[in-house]
Amino acid sequence: MAVHLGLRGKSVATLLLACLLALIPALLIGWVAVDEVRRHFATAYAEQYTLLQMHRISAPVARELALSRRLANSVVTREWLRQPDDPERQARFFAEAEGFRQQFGSNAYFLIDHATGDYYFADRHDAEPSPDYRLSPDGARNAWYFDDMASTSTYAIAIRADPVLERSMLWVQVKVRDQGALLGLAGGALDLDEFLTHFLRARAPGVTPLIVDPRGMIRVHPDRSNVRSGTDVTPFDTDSDQHILSLFDDAEQRDDFRRAMQQAVRRPGSIRTLHAEIDGEARLLSVGYIPELQWLLVTSLDMLTAPIVQGRWFWPLVGALILILATLVAAFGYASNRLVLKPLQRLTQSARAIADGDYASRLPNERRDEIGTLSRAFSHMAQQVEDHTRNLETQVRERTHELETAHAAMAAAHKQLGDSIQYASIIQRAILPDEQLNEGLAPCHAVLWKPRDTVGGDFYLFRATPEGYLIGIVDCAGHGVPGALMTMLSRAIIDNAINHHGAADPAALLNEIDRQSRELLPEAQLPSSIATNMDVGLAWVDPAGRRLTYAGAKLDLYGSDGRQLERLKGGKRALGHRRPLQYSNHHVPLRPGWRYYLCSDGFLDQAGGEHGFGFGNSRFEELVRSQATAPLDAQIVAFERALNDYRGHRPQRDDITLLIFSSALDASEHLHLHKPGPGREST
């Protein structure tokens, strides 16, 4: 009896092969992991090696510095330098200094008498020397000494080739002081050649240590041709063979290394690492700063030759895995093509025929495995799709007609709503006193009025009389259509208050507007979610008397001539607030050349900037001060540009009104004040 292996069994066998094939990404992942581990250990190795070498370099210097300080601070040293001609004190000094000499790294010390300039140097061959020579301030050769003594530091570490002693030394120089007086300079030294040769001799395989000064000049290098000789401290060309940056071919890598040097100098004790190419080969560089010597230690690590991760076992394993995987890929391809891919290809052809509308295509269903079951199910599905397609076309036509009808109705409603809002905008603009301002104050005013929506809750007013004019802005609660309706009601209340109290007393007008709004909109009859507050700023200008009277409810008046800035603050509560406030007037003289500014909180509260904060009073005041002397129309452009730049891509959050008027022009020449007549009354 024949055994029919089902598709499940075939899939299991194929899955086993696929699991073996999964070794390929596993191998790649392993390669990446090994590489990352190698890089991690290479970085740690370079940093630890650099720190170790920095310690090996700085430890002897620190020891010499400690010995030099003890020698300089010795009572015997100070007593002798106080009286250098006393033989007894001199003998005591040389006896004690001999002990120090034996402890110094080079078995030598020096001492300079500041009073006489005598230079003493003692080593193993000259235990009690006489002065080797005398320092003179006239010679450039001895300038180092007088510069050190003039500095405020207590010690210095320097590298010099002494032409008299004919030796290149690393000198540790400590000032000798007694009760604040400078007596001289004392210290020890390290033989520079021995010191640096010991440093180079200790380098590990694959590691090249270098020492450079903060300017980048190479002081120590395995290749002596790259080392800057002498003690010249003038700047050097970065393309010179003795400059560390000359080792880099890439300008970007030069900049990266220069930044690493600067960061290491700013943070002594820290190590900076970076990857670069030197002489066409990849290197890992680590940089550390030795503040005692003012040197930078640079370690160049070759990750291929440095003993970081041993990889002799790696390549044979990779070869074996590749051979196994190649065999598995071939077996998997043959099995998949014969058992699965060919039947699926026929199924795909039938599916394409059905997609093109040919439902007559049928699949052979004689197979007794899952592929045969799938073929029979597919044939049945094709029949069902053919039936449903015919029904669906009819349903789609019906639904499409319904959607088109609904869309037409929605478009008509949207157009009607848009037309209504545009009409409301025309009505709202009719209450703005643009014509009256142009007749009465041109060219002494400028306005920026930007509702957040087509209509808004902000408006401005103007009322001219023979004695002067009332000018101001109103910010009603809300925006859009509700805010626009509030402006119509507010306009009526303000007109009524002016008719009863006149235009010359802004505080009385605010108190009257507050009273009438509370009568028309009693708080007890309104839902708590509806706000009826108004922010108002009113200024009465008397051109003949050169006087301005201002009163505000949560709005301030700003004045400036470009040098000074004055801010008249309004009351802390809006009109209609649940706690009433008695408003009062501010009286100030009209100053020649001054401009006055009123703006709603939509300008000051507009979110923007990096963190989305409001524009704010301080930024607004600075803008007022910088623009106060410009023409008024140019100021409006500048204010709008500054607000848009600050807002960026954020939406406008509230209605914005900015009103600027000038006091600089003489009333008889520019202010056409008149008695209100028919068609001229404005608010």
Side-chain angles (χ1 to χ4, degrees):
M1 180 178 179
V3 178
H4 299 284
L5 185 62
L7 185 59
R8 182 179 291 106
K10 299 171 187 177
S11 300
V12 170
T14 305
L15 183 59
L16 292 176
L17 294 176
C19 291
L20 295 177
L21 288 176
L23 289 175
I24 293 178
L27 181 61
L28 294 176
I29 294 172
W31 173 269
V32 173
V34 170
D35 186 64
E36 289 298 323
V37 169
R38 185 168 61 90
R39 286 177 175 271
H40 172 75
F41 279 104
T43 302
Y45 180 81
E47 291 178 354
Q48 293 303 316
Y49 182 88
T50 303
L51 287 172
L52 177 62
Q53 295 304 317
M54 289 171 60
H55 177 72
R56 293 184 60 194
I57 293 173
S58 60
V61 178
R63 181 178 179 277
E64 294 293 304
L65 178 60
L67 288 173
S68 299
R69 281 176 167 166
R70 288 175 56 194
L71 176 61
N73 295 329
S74 171
V75 175
V76 174
T77 304
R78 289 181 288 168
E79 288 180 348
W80 179 51
L81 290 179
R82 281 289 187 186
Q83 299 181 18
D85 297 330
D86 188 337
E88 182 180 349
R89 295 189 178 189
Q90 185 183 49
R92 283 203 306 270
F93 167 76
F94 283 125
E96 182 177 272
E98 176 62 18
F100 281 99
R101 183 192 66 76
Q102 296 175 6
Q103 297 181 57
F104 279 116
S106 61
N107 289 324
Y109 71 90
F110 76 94
L111 184 134
I112 302 173
D113 185 348
H114 189 59
T116 63
D118 288 340
Y119 183 98
Y120 295 86
F121 181 82
D123 57 13
R124 63 172 63 92
H125 305 296
D126 188 8
E128 294 186 5
S130 58
D132 290 88
Y133 60 91
R134 176 164 290 181
L135 302 177
S136 172
D138 298 330
R141 185 183 67 186
N142 302 322
W144 63 269
Y145 169 74
F146 297 98
D147 291 341
D148 287 351
M149 298 302 285
S151 68
T152 58
S153 61
T154 59
Y155 75 94
I157 298 174
I159 299 173
R160 290 192 307 278
D162 195 313
V164 177
L165 301 177
E166 297 181 351
R167 301 175 69 178
S168 295
M169 308 289 286
L170 187 150
W171 299 91
V172 180
Q173 305 159 177
V174 180
K175 293 179 181 178
V176 182
R177 294 178 180 270
D178 189 15
Q179 298 180 356
L182 282 173
L183 301 182
L185 196 67
L190 291 172
D191 188 288
L192 188 61
D193 290 336
E194 293 181 3
F195 179 65
L196 297 180
T197 300
H198 175 71
F199 162 71
L200 288 176
R201 191 167 55 242
R203 63 192 183 109
V207 178
T208 303
L210 303 88
I211 292 180
V212 300
D213 61 23
R215 295 166 302 144
M217 300 308 299
I218 300 175
R219 294 299 184 183
V220 178
H221 192 284
D223 184 357
R224 285 292 182 177
S225 64
N226 290 327
V227 179
R228 181 71 184 179
S229 61
T231 59
D232 188 9
V233 294
T234 58
F236 296 99
D237 184 3
T238 58
D239 293 329
S240 169
D241 291 341
Q242 288 82 32
H243 200 283
I244 185 68
L245 295 183
S246 67
L247 302 178
F248 299 91
D249 296 329
D250 185 73
E252 184 177 353
Q253 292 182 0
R254 286 189 177 193
D255 295 337
D256 292 341
F257 186 79
R258 186 182 289 109
R259 284 192 292 270
M261 291 174 57
Q262 295 170 353
Q263 293 170 358
V265 171
R266 286 195 294 267
R267 298 187 62 184
S270 64
I271 304 298
R272 303 293 173 180
T273 59
L274 68 157
H275 292 272
E277 285 192 4
I278 297 179
D279 296 331
E281 297 182 356
R283 292 289 186 268
L284 176 63
L285 302 180
S286 59
V287 185
Y289 181 61
I290 308 173
E292 294 87 356
L293 302 177
Q294 295 184 348
W295 279 351
L296 288 133
L297 177 60
V298 181
T299 301
S300 174
L301 178 65
D302 184 354
M303 292 190 293
L304 297 179
T305 59
I308 301 171
V309 178
Q310 298 295 330
R312 59 179 177 269
W313 50 268
F314 186 72
W315 292 112
L317 178 60
V318 170
L321 288 176
I322 291 176
L323 181 60
I324 294 173
L325 292 175
T327 304
L328 293 177
V329 167
F332 179 76
Y334 176 79
S336 298
N337 184 67
R338 183 175 178 82
L339 301 176
V340 178
L341 295 182
K342 284 187 176 180
L344 288 180
Q345 184 178 9
R346 297 180 64 183
L347 182 63
T348 302
Q349 293 172 352
S350 297
R352 288 175 179 172
I354 293 174
D356 294 335
D358 182 10
Y359 296 98
S361 177
R362 293 293 182 264
L363 292 173
N365 49 23
E366 66 275 4
R367 292 183 56 166
R368 288 178 290 176
D369 57 10
E370 285 80 355
I371 292 292
T373 303
L374 178 62
S375 299
R376 290 188 290 273
F378 187 84
S379 299
H380 178 70
M381 180 197 69
Q383 183 63 42
Q384 295 293 324
V385 168
E386 183 179 6
D387 296 339
H388 286 295
T389 300
R390 296 191 182 96
N391 296 331
L392 184 60
E393 290 175 352
T394 303
Q395 294 177 5
V396 166
R397 285 193 295 270
E398 294 175 354
R399 296 291 175 85
T400 300
H401 178 71
E402 294 175 359
L403 289 174
E404 289 175 350
T405 303
H407 177 73
M410 185 180 299
H414 184 270
K415 183 179 184 303
Q416 184 178 6
L417 180 60
D419 293 344
S420 299
I421 294 178
Q422 288 294 334
Y423 184 61
S425 174
I426 295 173
I427 296 174
Q428 185 178 36
R429 285 181 177 273
I431 71 170
L432 299 178
D434 293 331
E435 181 180 351
Q436 292 79 10
L437 278 169
N438 291 331
E439 291 180 1
L441 270 186
C444 300
H445 81 284
V447 180
L448 172 64
W449 185 68
K450 293 182 63 176
R452 193 196 74 170
D453 306 310
T454 305
V455 293
D458 285 9
F459 69 97
Y460 48 96
L461 56 91
F462 175 76
R463 175 69 67 90
T465 70
E467 295 79 19
Y469 59 88
L470 180 71
I471 191 169
I473 65 173
V474 180
D475 180 2
C476 299
H479 37 72
V481 174
L485 292 176
M486 279 297 300
T487 63
M488 308 303 290
L489 179 61
S490 301
R491 164 67 187 269
I493 294 175
I494 292 172
D495 284 348
N496 185 267
I498 293 175
N499 292 336
H500 281 79
H501 293 274
D505 189 348
L509 290 176
L510 292 182
N511 292 323
E512 178 63 19
I513 295 168
D514 185 49
R515 184 190 66 79
Q516 291 187 28
S517 64
R518 293 177 187 276
E519 290 181 355
L520 290 175
L521 300 170
E523 183 179 358
Q525 299 179 9
L526 296 175
S528 59
S529 60
I530 297 179
T532 59
N533 299 339
M534 289 184 286
D535 299 343
V536 183
L538 300 177
W540 167 257
V541 180
D542 181 3
R546 294 294 182 180
R547 175 168 159 169
L548 183 147
T549 303
Y550 178 74
K554 289 194 71 177
L555 292 182
D556 301 336
L557 176 69
Y558 299 83
S560 176
D561 62 350
R563 297 183 301 274
Q564 306 177 59
L565 186 135
E566 186 174 305
R567 179 179 177 183
L568 302 181
K569 292 190 175 183
K572 295 182 178 180
R573 298 177 195 153
L575 300 184
H577 192 273
R578 53 189 176 85
R579 290 189 297 170
L581 178 69
Q582 193 70 22
Y583 300 95
S584 58
N585 287 321
H586 296 276
H587 303 283
V588 294
L590 282 174
R591 299 187 179 114
W594 279 58
R595 309 288 175 83
Y596 297 91
Y597 303 79
L598 280 168
C599 76
S600 63
D601 59 2
F603 196 108
L604 301 177
D605 295 343
Q606 175 59 51
E610 180 181 357
H611 303 290
F613 297 148
F615 192 85
N617 289 311
S618 59
R619 191 176 282 102
F620 180 80
E621 292 175 3
E622 183 62 29
L623 192 58
V624 167
R625 196 189 305 271
S626 65
Q627 295 293 326
T629 58
L632 296 186
D633 291 340
Q635 290 193 42
I636 289 295
V637 173
F639 274 85
E640 187 173 10
R641 184 188 305 113
L643 184 63
N644 290 335
D645 292 343
Y646 181 77
R647 184 184 69 174
H649 298 293
R650 292 182 172 87
Q652 180 177 336
R653 65 189 302 177
D654 199 358
D655 303 322
I656 295 174
T657 301
L658 172 64
L659 176 61
I660 309 175
F661 60 95
S662 170
S663 67
L665 302 175
D666 188 78
S668 63
E669 297 178 2
H670 300 283
L671 304 182
H672 311 292
L673 304 180
H674 50 76
K675 293 183 180 181
R680 288 184 169 270
E681 197 164 323
S682 61
T683 303

